[in-house]
Amino acid sequence: MSDQVLERGEQRTLDIDPDRLLRRVAELARIGADPMTGGITREGFSAADRQGRTYLMDQARTAGLAPSVDAAGNIVVRACPGSVGGEAGERQVLMMGSHLDTVVNGGRLDGAYGVLAALEVVQTLADSGLDTACEPVAVAFANEEGALFPQPFWGSMAVAGRLDALPQEPADHHNRPLREALRRAGGDLDALGSACWPAGSIAAYLELHVEQGPVLERSGNRIGVVEAITGRTVLTLEVRGSAGHSGTSPMAGRRDAMAAAARVVLATENLATERRLCRVATVGRLDPHPNTPNTIAGAVRLTVDLRDTDVWRMTGAEQVLRRMLRSIELSTGTEIEVVAETRSDPVSADLRLRTAIEQSADALDLTHEVLPSGAGHDAQVVADLAPIAMIFVPSLGGISHVPEEDSRPEDLVAGARVLLRTALRVADGTVL
Ligand SMILES: [Zn+2]
């Protein structure tokens, strides 16, 4: 479909069904909901998650679509039954989606909104009978959050063929094997390789998501066009000093691990504030020993989380932090051991897809702005395989991963409309 077709008005009437989308968002939000807090708990591969997955597949079937489950437990919704992994020579796929699983006591929109909007777009296109160069496909990636089984991005990693990065026999926090939970969800650990999509089979991946931050609400813009998903470095630090009596140990000569850890917290904050070496820097966890009021701390474990959209800035910030740690060691008489737990590189959104999103928002008279994604998303993993882009809608109060997470219904509808229009532009093969 070229703009010529657009001018002929054939697509001007093509629209998602807003009521159907909002009804599904509300219905899915009842699954795993805590009546007391209003929070939603659908940890990946839990019983509630399975219910959510069943809901999605029922909705897809009722819509006349063909849902299937791949070996990794991802739900793939196509207009007609097809091979789950895609095969060379078939029509390229325009993949859209997100995840259905949540954190513990999370919100109703993170992930779920993107999946239901993708379903809405695939259903709208299927019902329209339009013949597109790319096949629109909706995907619900399994276990994105990693709340129960600590393998976040499990499903998208399998789709992208990053099996070497996944454990052989994953287990949850209670040492229960993923193998069994995956089987109950329709997957098969022994056939994980079959969930991988071949290179070239996916033309593009689009993910619609709530912003989970305050940028759009503050600016008043309706649509966010993600320029990049931030990279993340997580360091675990162990500060070692000497425990002692808080009343009898003179201040001179102390090796106070807590005082040293406090300096590490401030040095970390300073990286992003005064020094502006990375976008955000956080110490989110502090674990002192022995953690009693009248004892000087002998050791403190803490985590440092650094994020930026530029890999060189992340490397630079970490180098500066390590130098600051050396000087904290010297001034406090402590030793600080640093272990890198996670390093994920920033991932850029495809410029052509970004432009298509902006044009779609313009066509719908929706104001938009370019912004980074501070949170991780399945899109950053699928980027190994295909060009990706993300669309954000405003989050009320800029909050997420909490029961209060919400967005205005008109913004949810607007985001899905931008997804549909962008999908039309991409699926006709003129954007890429
Ligand atoms: Zn999410």
Side-chain angles (χ1 to χ4, degrees):
M1 281 137 289
S2 62
D3 281 328
Q4 266 182 333
V5 179
L6 275 172
E7 278 157 27
R8 289 209 302 272
E10 285 177 32
Q11 286 176 40
R12 212 161 280 151
T13 53
L14 195 58
D15 190 12
I16 58 149
D17 181 335
D19 294 337
R20 186 169 61 195
L21 173 66
L22 295 175
R23 171 181 61 78
R24 284 176 177 157
V25 168
E27 285 173 353
L28 182 57
R30 287 191 207 119
I31 302 173
D34 181 334
M36 299 298 286
T37 65
I40 293 168
T41 303
R42 287 195 307 264
E43 300 157 290
F45 297 116
S46 65
D49 182 44
R50 282 203 303 280
Q51 276 184 52
R53 298 161 56 82
T54 302
Y55 173 80
L56 176 70
M57 291 200 279
D58 285 348
Q59 289 295 309
R61 275 190 211 102
T62 308
L65 303 169
S68 55
V69 179
D70 72 12
N74 300 307
I75 299 171
V76 180
V77 180
R78 315 180 89 137
C80 302
S83 60
V84 168
E87 277 166 25
E90 288 179 4
R91 195 159 55 129
Q92 271 195 314
V93 155
L94 166 61
M95 190 179 274
M96 293 165 280
S98 196
H99 58 98
L100 290 180
D101 66 309
T102 72
V103 295
V104 174
N105 208 28
R108 68 193 179 104
L109 298 174
D110 177 1
Y113 166 54
V115 172
L116 293 175
L119 172 68
E120 183 59 41
V121 169
V122 169
Q123 184 175 355
T124 302
L125 291 173
D127 291 349
S128 76
L130 276 172
D131 196 15
T132 49
C134 295
E135 180 197 353
V137 168
V139 177
F141 289 110
N143 201 38
E144 189 265 359
E145 301 282 6
L148 181 61
F149 288 91
Q151 293 88 32
F153 305 110
W154 166 266
S156 46
M157 299 258 275
V159 162
R162 279 165 59 178
L163 303 185
D164 50 334
L166 299 172
Q168 292 277 319
E169 283 291 338
D172 71 6
H173 297 300
H174 311 286
N175 231 5
R176 288 175 301 204
L178 175 66
R179 175 178 290 277
E180 185 50 29
L182 181 58
R183 194 191 55 74
R184 281 200 294 269
D188 179 0
L189 192 64
D190 294 323
L192 213 51
S194 66
C196 170
W197 289 63
S201 57
I202 303 172
Y205 174 70
L206 299 174
E207 184 163 348
L208 172 63
H209 208 281
V210 289
E211 184 203 330
Q212 307 181 275
V215 175
L216 293 173
E217 192 180 63
R218 284 183 190 162
S219 69
N221 285 321
R222 305 282 307 279
I223 295 293
V225 185
V226 173
E227 62 174 332
I229 301 167
T230 55
R232 182 173 182 228
T233 299
V234 180
L235 307 172
T236 301
L237 274 56
E238 169 127 6
V239 184
R240 282 189 292 267
S242 306
H245 195 295
S246 67
T248 59
S249 309
M251 294 309 287
R254 281 191 183 192
R255 297 172 61 230
D256 185 338
M258 189 78 90
R263 286 172 213 208
V264 174
V265 173
L266 295 178
T268 301
E269 184 191 40
N270 184 268
L271 285 177
T273 51
E274 274 165 48
R275 293 174 185 252
R276 293 174 186 269
L277 294 173
C278 57
R279 203 172 64 79
V280 286
T282 311
V283 174
R285 192 173 142 213
L286 202 68
D287 187 12
H289 292 278
N291 203 20
T292 50
N294 52 0
T295 307
I296 301 163
V300 179
R301 277 173 73 88
L302 54 95
T303 55
V304 172
D305 178 320
L306 307 176
R307 302 192 194 206
D308 202 273
T309 50
D310 182 314
V311 70
W312 298 111
R313 275 167 55 81
M314 291 180 65
T315 312
E318 184 181 336
Q319 280 171 352
V320 170
L321 176 68
R322 284 175 182 266
R323 280 206 295 276
M324 290 160 87
L325 296 178
R326 295 292 84 81
S327 88
I328 293 169
E329 280 180 320
L330 285 173
S331 62
T332 58
T334 57
E335 288 153 28
I336 304 176
E337 192 192 334
V338 182
V339 177
E341 296 286 345
T342 308
R343 283 185 205 283
S344 66
D345 287 345
V347 172
S348 296
D350 185 271
L351 205 52
R352 299 160 298 178
L353 296 175
R354 272 173 53 184
T355 305
I357 294 168
E358 286 168 346
Q359 289 169 344
S360 301
D362 283 337
L364 292 161
D365 270 333
L366 295 165
T367 55
H368 53 84
E369 72 179 281
V370 173
L371 78 180
S373 169
H377 295 288
D378 289 305
Q380 76 198 53
V381 180
V382 182
D384 280 3
L385 208 57
I388 62 108
M390 289 194 74
I391 303 163
F392 278 175
V393 296
S395 291
L396 291 176
I399 54 170
S400 183
H401 281 192
V402 290
E404 294 77 24
E405 171 191 281
D406 208 359
S407 296
R408 297 186 307 164
E410 56 267 42
D411 287 333
L412 298 178
V413 170
R417 285 188 165 132
V418 171
L419 181 65
L420 172 65
R421 278 199 95 100
T422 308
L424 281 165
R425 285 170 196 269
V426 176
D428 76 356
T430 54
V431 168
L432 297 168

